[in-house]
Amino acid sequence: GWCPLSPTGAQTTQLLVEPAWRPAVLWDQVTLTCQGLGTTGATTWYKDGQRWGQQGRDHLSVTETGTYRCDRPGTRLSPAVIISDDDLVLQVPARALLEGDTVTLRCRG
């Protein structure tokens, strides 16, 4: 399922990642979804700090490594999602984790 990479805030845009593991890696065929209180279909995407990609779409299939953020009218810029192309990664679920939680880790390469 979709998991936010940051806690939900009333005025914060969320950037959701699928598959729901972090760090996100390019070879996982990552899809980003921008959610917020702003107008649907009015998303602005940023890659490495610059406006990027198809503006207005709420979903983005990632084809390049980089740092991604999104924005929707009336909300703040989302937290960043870094997409890497590392050959070997240790991944954790993309959800808020608290001390004492049982967590499944994935070592993938």
Side-chain angles (χ1 to χ4, degrees):
W2 298 97
C3 291
L5 290 182
S6 67
T8 302
Q11 297 299 317
T12 302
T13 303
Q14 295 179 64
L15 189 48
L16 309 174
V17 64
E18 176 69 27
W21 293 87
R22 64 181 173 192
V25 285
L26 189 61
W27 43 264
D28 245 353
Q29 299 180 351
V30 174
T31 299
L32 300 177
T33 299
C34 193
Q35 290 187 344
L37 299 178
T39 306
T40 300
T43 298
T44 301
W45 291 97
Y46 297 88
K47 178 180 175 285
D48 300 327
Q50 303 292 321
R51 284 180 69 132
W52 185 84
Q54 292 194 344
Q55 306 302 315
R57 300 186 62 179
D58 295 331
H59 303 280
L60 179 68
S61 295
V62 178
T63 59
E64 299 177 15
T65 60
T67 301
Y68 292 83
R69 299 180 86 171
C70 69
D71 190 20
R72 297 184 59 182
T75 59
R76 293 191 305 248
L77 197 63
S78 74
V81 172
I82 298 172
I83 310 293
S84 73
D85 62 353
D86 294 340
D87 293 332
L88 183 65
V89 293
L90 181 62
Q91 293 179 310
V92 298
R95 61 178 175 84
L97 300 174
L98 302 175
E99 185 177 349
D101 285 353
T102 299
V103 178
T104 299
L105 303 178
R106 298 197 312 183
C107 184
R108 302 178 64 222

